[in-house]
Every structure is written in C-alpha cells, then in structure tokens.
C-alpha cells in the first residue's frame, strides 16, 4: 500500500474525530456531518490522484 494513501486514511480518521467534536458543540445534524465528510474524502482523493501525474 502506498505510504501517501496510509497518511490520507489517518488524516481522514483524525478529521472525522475533530469534526464529530465540532458537530456536538455546534449541534449540527447528521446530514451536515455526512456532507462535510464526503467533500473531505473527494478532495483528499483528488489530491492523492495528483501524485500519479
């Protein structure tokens, strides 16, 4: 497995943990949480895909 991909997975878990704490503090719904996570995953995959150019 690519080391960059492992780093992105770690960052995704870290981001999800932090976002969950912010979601509880700001009382965001699950739809907003899911939307932010989907956007984050798409951006990270796009950045990871740039390394193959």
């Amino acid at each position: 497995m690519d080391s960059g991909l492992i780093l992105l997975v770690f960052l995704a878990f870290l981001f999800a943990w932090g976002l969950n704490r912010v979601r509880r503090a700001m009382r965001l719904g699950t739809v907003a949480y899911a939307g932010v996570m989907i956007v984050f995953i798409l951006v990270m995959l796009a950045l990871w895909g740039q390394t193959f150019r």
Side-chain angles (χ1 to χ4, degrees), residues 3-40:
S3 62
L5 185 59
I6 295 171
L7 177 64
L8 287 179
V9 169
F10 173 73
L11 287 175
F13 280 119
L14 188 64
F15 182 76
W17 175 77
L19 183 62
N20 198 23
R21 292 180 61 93
V22 169
R23 182 178 68 97
R24 286 183 187 161
M26 296 180 65
R27 305 211 191 288
L28 294 174
T30 55
V31 175
Y33 179 76
V36 171
M37 282 307 296
I38 289 170
V39 168
F40 177 78

Side-chain angles (χ1 to χ4, degrees), residues 32-48:
Y33 179 76
V36 171
M37 282 307 296
I38 289 170
V39 168
F40 177 78
I41 290 168
L42 290 176
V43 168
M44 287 296 117
L45 285 174
L47 289 174
W48 179 65

